[in-house]
Amino acid sequence: MDIWLLEDDFRIAAIHADYIRTIQRDAQVQQFLTGASLKEALLHNTPPAVLLMDLYIPDVTGYELVAYVRAHFPEIRIIMVTAAAERAHVEALYAYGVFDYIVKPFDEERLQKAFQQLHLTQSALQKKTHFTQQDLDTLFYRQNHSTTEKALPKGIDTFTLEQVIHLFKEQKYTTLTATQLSEVIGTSRSTARRYLEYLVEMNILETKLLYGTVGRPERNYVLRETYEQN
């Protein structure tokens, strides 16, 4: 995944780039300090999958640049990373169709959630040729309240949990290991395993041992038939 970062403060840009590389270890990250350099790169290179950008860039207004990218490169997912949190900005950028909006300062966990949603959205779009209303509700609303009634343990958030369930139930993944899930949702293997094991405790998933040619068998997670019928 190619990820471009537009931030005029080189120190902040370096911090954000480190966050991205930690979350997306295989990502090709390019940093830009000006809107002009970003536009030039867009004209002469393959556009990135994701653009993280500040609203305040000295040589170009953020709105102008967002409108330019939306008009000429609609396939790019734009994530605003800015201190601007006023209603006028939020409403305008929402109308422009930005993928996510992150207010500075933020932590790595918040950025990780953005990339989890990116992976799940891309996976849903690539794997389906026809969408049910439930598919579209999950894709556009990005939430489902079926598991929000109970308090979740530390390290488990509702959004990611629902997306993991969606991978099994709606996208018809028959089996997933913790390693495979971590690649799909963009987390560490230990984080992916935490969600899978929680779903086992909730009697939504069950485990089977997957034997390879070498080493210890790996736990394979499958949707319980009783839950699949619900």
Side-chain angles (χ1 to χ4, degrees), residues 175 177 193 206-212 216-222:
T175 64
T177 64
R193 179 181 289 279
E206 59 184 344
T207 60
K208 296 181 180 180
L209 292 180
L210 181 66
Y211 291 90
R216 298 172 60 185
E218 188 169 8
R219 288 167 71 86
N220 215 31
Y221 297 83
V222 300

Side-chain angles (χ1 to χ4, degrees), residues 1 49 77 118-131 139 171 173 184:
M1 178 184 290
R77 311 290 187 191
L118 276 166
H119 281 288
L120 291 165
T121 299
Q122 290 175 332
S123 178
L125 291 173
Q126 291 169 0
K127 286 182 168 59
K128 286 185 176 287
T129 56
H130 180 77
F131 292 80
L139 192 62
Q171 297 185 21
Y173 277 82
V184 172

Side-chain angles (χ1 to χ4, degrees), residues 33-53:
L33 299 176
T34 66
S37 62
L38 176 68
K39 282 187 174 182
E40 184 70 15
L42 285 170
L43 292 174
H44 297 96
N45 297 275
T46 301
V50 184
L51 169 62
L52 282 76
M53 61 170 285

Side-chain angles (χ1 to χ4, degrees), residues 1 23-24 26 99 114-124 182-187:
M1 178 184 290
I23 297 167
Q24 297 289 130
D26 59 344
F99 187 83
F115 279 103
Q116 288 173 354
Q117 180 60 44
L118 276 166
H119 281 288
L120 291 165
T121 299
Q122 290 175 332
S123 178
S182 69
E183 294 171 354
V184 172
I185 65 175
T187 66

Side-chain angles (χ1 to χ4, degrees), residues 173-229:
Y173 277 82
T174 55
T175 64
L176 277 175
T177 64
T179 300
Q180 291 169 335
L181 179 62
S182 69
E183 294 171 354
V184 172
I185 65 175
T187 66
S188 67
R189 184 174 179 274
S190 60
T191 297
R193 179 181 289 279
R194 185 185 308 132
Y195 282 91
L196 292 168
E197 289 294 335
Y198 177 73
L199 290 173
V200 170
E201 292 178 16
M202 298 296 293
N203 292 318
I204 294 174
L205 300 181
E206 59 184 344
T207 60
K208 296 181 180 180
L209 292 180
L210 181 66
Y211 291 90
T213 55
V214 294
R216 298 172 60 185
E218 188 169 8
R219 288 167 71 86
N220 215 31
Y221 297 83
V222 300
L223 192 67
R224 284 184 179 274
E225 290 185 9
T226 52
Y227 185 82
E228 192 172 5
Q229 293 168 359

